[in-house]
Amino acid sequence: MSIILNGLTGALAAQAALNATSQNVANAMTPGYTRQGVLLGSLQTPQGGSGVQVSSLLRFSDGYKNLQLWQATSSLGQYKAGQAYLTQLEQVMSDDTANINEGIDQFFAALNAASVQPESGPLREAVITAADGLVKRFDSLQQLLANQQTTIESQRQGVVSQVNTLTQDIALLNKQIAAGRSAGLNDAGLQDARDEKIKALSDLVSVQVVDTPDGAKSVSLKGGQPLVVGADAATLATDGPGQLKIQFASTQFTFSDVGLGGQLGGLADLQQQVLKPMATTISELALGLGNAFNTQLAAGFAPPAATPGQPLFDTSSGRLKLTGLAAADLAFSSSATVSGDSGNLTALVGLKHQTLTLTTFDPKGNASGTSAVVLGDVFTQLVGKLGVASSLNQASQTTATTVRDQAEENWKSSSGVNTDEEAISLMQYQQMYQANMKVVAVANQLFDSTLAMLG
């Protein structure tokens, strides 16, 4: 009987192994599927061996490799999130039709041309036209930055909504896995689904994951704020520009979204480190130019009027606009009585080389002081900084892509399905099954021979 028992347990073990192998082959192309197998153990009795048993079903998951993959996914999501905005800014700011430097050059070129004949009506009109073109360039670029901020805010809302959906799914899977384990059920498929949800979540925001004894996974942000604890999920929400809040049970956390990693952190870094400093610099350039020009106009005259010159630009709203000053009222003269004088016009032309006091920012986008920059160099420096930021982000994105791909291949080396290996396993377990069934057949023959002898 022990021979039959040995053969039957061996055949059953081979069948279980074949089931696991066939499951692997069937899911070879399933995203996130983790390879399964069986752990065989020898059955022993005081009288000797009594066959084999399936000690446990195996799921070839490596927690460290999972963590590497999630971290690499977060880094890639962070750098990808902002690149489209940086590329758009580069294209617009380098286009001659929107380039502010081009508008400044045209404006001062019109002033230079007017210095030849300060009283000329057409030349004065050309100055007004060039000023209007410069104002429109500033307005166009500032509107682009405002539109990007609006789009980013909308994207933040979408990312937060996705985070909440994923955390609720993870919490539900935690509950199902814990219930399945207590009932002795195979939860490999549920664990695969949960790991895929965590991977998708890590693309949105960098996470920390901790295993718990009941098979659940607790998920939190980099700063420790909880997202999932067991079967409970937090609710994430935006709380104004640059701020987020988490509601978990009866506790609420408010924190900055800078440095969170993933898409949410990438958008926050873009706003804090690029868009806000750029918007501040462009505004300071526009208002600095307008105020300097108005101040110099006030020092001149437009004969026959004996009163000081009137402003050309309106800076009261925080944006550069025209006041509607007529071309004939431009105070080009330094004399209230000499209409052909161009003394003040010469001073106006010289403003292009005047310095402006601008706010400086550290690499994190925080104001760090002020510096004096020549008016004509401000936009050039701004374009240069944007180009450097975009190039660094592209390089970081390329590196992050390589790291993510390597992490994924590393994960596949231990958890992914190799069809060649599974084909070999199929043949091995098939031979094991056939051999054990042969043992059963031989045992039956021996039993029948013994009965015949006794009969």
Side-chain angles (χ1 to χ4, degrees):
M1 293 296 293
S2 63
I3 298 177
I4 294 178
L5 181 61
N6 287 341
L8 286 175
T9 58
L12 290 173
Q15 189 176 35
L18 284 169
N19 286 337
T21 304
S22 65
Q23 176 74 357
N24 292 339
V25 174
N27 288 278
M29 301 303 293
T30 301
Y33 175 79
T34 300
R35 182 167 56 93
Q36 299 178 26
V38 295
L39 178 63
L40 303 180
S42 176
L43 283 172
Q44 295 292 330
T45 65
Q47 291 75 31
S50 54
V52 65
Q53 66 176 348
V54 178
S55 301
S56 65
L57 295 174
L58 300 177
R59 178 174 177 267
F60 295 94
S61 176
D62 189 322
Y64 175 70
K65 291 182 179 180
N66 283 340
L67 182 60
Q68 281 188 317
L69 180 58
W70 296 336
Q71 290 176 340
T73 301
S74 291
S75 295
L76 181 57
Q78 176 181 350
Y79 296 120
K80 285 179 65 176
Q83 188 55 53
Y85 297 97
L86 292 172
T87 301
Q88 183 186 35
L89 278 174
E90 279 191 295
Q91 291 174 344
V92 171
M93 293 176 69
S94 61
D95 186 356
D96 287 344
T97 61
N99 189 304
I100 288 179
N101 260 1
E102 187 73 16
I104 292 175
D105 288 342
Q106 290 177 3
F107 179 58
F108 282 99
L111 289 171
N112 265 317
S115 64
V116 177
Q117 193 175 354
E119 294 180 307
S120 170
L123 293 179
R124 284 172 171 262
E125 289 291 346
V127 171
I128 298 295
T129 301
D132 183 56
L134 178 59
V135 167
K136 289 179 178 177
R137 288 173 186 261
F138 273 113
D139 186 66
S140 176
L141 185 54
Q142 288 176 310
Q143 189 60 48
L144 172 62
L145 291 172
N147 290 343
Q148 285 198 343
Q149 293 281 15
T150 301
T151 304
I152 289 173
E153 187 59 33
S154 176
Q155 189 173 346
R156 285 178 73 230
Q157 296 281 359
V159 171
V160 166
S161 178
Q162 292 179 62
V163 168
N164 288 331
T165 299
L166 289 170
T167 54
Q168 290 169 8
D169 290 344
I170 293 168
L172 178 59
L173 287 166
N174 276 342
K175 182 179 181 180
Q176 293 172 341
I177 289 170
R181 289 196 176 185
S182 63
L185 302 177
N186 182 5
D187 60 7
L190 293 175
Q191 291 191 64
D192 287 346
R194 183 179 60 186
D195 285 352
E196 277 297 284
K197 297 291 184 182
I198 296 176
K199 180 182 175 182
L201 179 62
S202 67
D203 179 58
L204 304 177
V205 63
S206 184
V207 295
Q208 296 177 332
V209 182
V210 178
D211 293 325
T212 59
D214 63 349
K217 288 184 183 291
S218 294
V219 184
S220 61
L221 297 173
K222 286 175 64 177
Q225 297 88 351
L227 291 176
V228 179
V229 178
D232 298 319
T235 301
L236 183 67
T238 57
D239 192 30
Q243 293 293 311
L244 296 171
K245 62 181 178 182
I246 283 182
Q247 182 74 39
F248 188 82
S250 59
T251 306
Q252 183 170 293
F253 306 89
T254 302
F255 54 96
S256 170
D257 59 1
V258 175
L260 283 183
Q263 292 185 30
L264 203 55
L267 293 174
D269 291 343
L270 174 68
Q271 286 181 302
Q272 179 68 23
Q273 299 172 13
V274 179
L275 297 186
K276 288 183 179 179
M278 179 176 291
T280 299
T281 300
I282 291 174
S283 177
E284 290 178 344
L285 171 59
L287 299 184
L289 170 61
N291 289 331
F293 201 83
N294 288 343
T295 300
Q296 190 59 52
L297 281 175
F301 301 90
T307 56
Q310 298 300 306
L312 173 63
F313 297 107
D314 178 8
T315 60
S316 60
S317 64
R319 284 198 176 189
L320 194 64
K321 298 180 180 179
L322 291 181
T323 59
L325 183 70
D329 295 329
L330 288 170
F332 287 166
S333 176
S334 58
S335 170
T337 57
V338 181
S339 60
D341 179 72
S342 62
N344 200 46
L345 177 56
T346 302
L348 290 170
V349 172
L351 290 178
K352 185 177 182 181
H353 306 290
Q354 178 179 313
T355 60
L356 297 178
T357 301
L358 304 177
T359 304
T360 57
F361 299 88
D362 61 23
K364 293 184 178 181
N366 299 313
S368 58
T370 60
S371 65
V373 183
V374 175
L375 188 150
D377 295 339
V378 175
F379 190 76
T380 301
Q381 292 184 9
L382 200 60
V383 172
K385 289 178 181 178
L386 175 63
V388 170
S390 181
S391 296
L392 288 175
N393 192 77
Q394 288 177 355
S396 297
Q397 182 178 333
T398 300
T399 301
T401 301
T402 301
V403 172
R404 195 279 312 271
D405 291 345
Q406 290 176 343
E408 194 158 4
E409 289 302 317
N410 198 23
W411 177 87
K412 289 180 180 179
S413 68
S414 59
S415 300
V417 176
N418 184 312
T419 52
D420 292 336
E421 291 180 1
E422 300 303 325
I424 294 173
S425 296
L426 278 174
M427 290 188 293
Q428 290 176 335
Y429 291 128
Q430 181 185 27
Q431 292 170 357
M432 175 182 173
Y433 181 84
Q434 291 171 342
N436 278 282
M437 293 305 296
K438 185 66 175 177
V439 169
V440 173
V442 170
N444 282 331
Q445 290 176 0
L446 292 174
F447 184 69
D448 291 340
S449 297
T450 301
L451 288 178
M453 290 174 60
L454 294 174

